[in-house]
Amino acid sequence: MGTWGVHSFDNDSAADFLAELADAAQPYERAEAVRAAFDAVFADAHDLDADLASVAIAGADVVAAALGQPKAGDEADPYELKESFRFYEDSVGKAVAALRLSIAENSELFELWSESDEIDDWRASVGDLEARLLGAAKAHDLNPAFEPPAPGELSDAAERSELHQISLSIIEEFRSELENLADRNKGD
């Protein structure tokens, strides 16, 4: 087994996920990757893999940090996602729902931690993360309630997410073209 610790980013799956976020060129791509991590948990909730759960927990911590609630000592909004998560008003709710599924008794991650002497430290870390998410929701007037899609409904949610990503891409391209026009015309 690789790296494994009680905090959100203390495992190999989370480290790989953070590297994926760092490699994304645009904030909306990072936001979509975080939201896709939550969708993966919803799709596999009945028998949740430890790696998927670990990535979802890391994604939830990214949401909390982006909305001004990082873990003590961590950087707030390291991936410039605050506006993206406010645009996607359900991001905090999705993060809370994915977090709760990731630590549920039918999660492989829970099973692994239940065999560890550090389970109480892990529960405390996850509890702190949930409190930070709820604090972020309150601070930004976002609804932390989210009902994950039932099995079979996720394809519709994923399709809507893909449409959001395409829309954001078009908006970003349009913004870039406007900036180019302004530069060529010296702001006129």
Side-chain angles (χ1 to χ4, degrees):
M1 177 163 229
T3 304
W4 197 37
V6 298
H7 299 295
S8 303
F9 306 122
D10 291 351
N11 60 77
D12 292 336
S13 298
D16 292 343
F17 177 66
L18 292 178
E20 176 187 338
L21 293 183
D23 288 344
Q26 297 294 326
Y28 74 87
E29 294 171 328
R30 295 178 199 122
E32 286 298 322
V34 171
R35 292 171 58 82
F38 302 150
D39 289 341
V41 167
F42 303 146
D44 201 29
H46 64 281
D47 188 26
L48 187 56
D49 175 77
D51 289 328
L52 290 178
S54 295
V55 170
I57 291 171
D61 217 324
V62 169
V63 172
L67 294 174
Q69 298 288 325
K71 185 172 85 86
D74 284 354
E75 180 183 355
D77 203 6
Y79 298 105
E80 302 173 356
L81 293 173
K82 178 180 176 182
E83 295 307 318
S84 296
F85 290 141
R86 289 178 62 198
F87 174 77
Y88 291 118
E89 292 182 2
D90 64 348
S91 291
V92 173
K94 281 184 132 184
V96 170
L99 178 67
R100 289 177 179 164
L101 288 171
S102 296
I103 64 170
E105 289 186 14
N106 63 330
S107 165
E108 181 186 27
L109 187 61
F110 175 83
E111 290 175 25
L112 292 170
W113 277 109
S114 66
E115 298 167 1
S116 167
D117 293 338
E118 294 181 294
I119 188 167
D120 292 334
D121 293 335
W122 178 67
R123 283 185 174 146
S125 178
V126 171
D128 172 68
L129 173 54
E130 185 172 2
R132 289 185 288 115
L133 284 167
L134 296 175
K138 185 175 181 180
H140 293 280
D141 197 28
L142 299 170
N143 185 357
F146 177 81
E147 187 66 36
E153 290 181 18
L154 187 61
S155 59
D156 292 340
E159 186 176 315
R160 283 192 303 275
S161 179
E162 185 176 332
L163 288 174
H164 281 296
Q165 183 175 359
I166 291 168
S167 297
L168 290 173
S169 176
I170 292 169
I171 290 168
E172 188 64 34
E173 287 177 25
F174 181 71
R175 184 177 306 156
S176 177
E177 185 61 31
L178 283 175
E179 288 173 2
N180 288 338
L181 285 171
D183 287 344
R184 280 185 266 162
N185 294 324
K186 297 186 187 340
D188 293 333

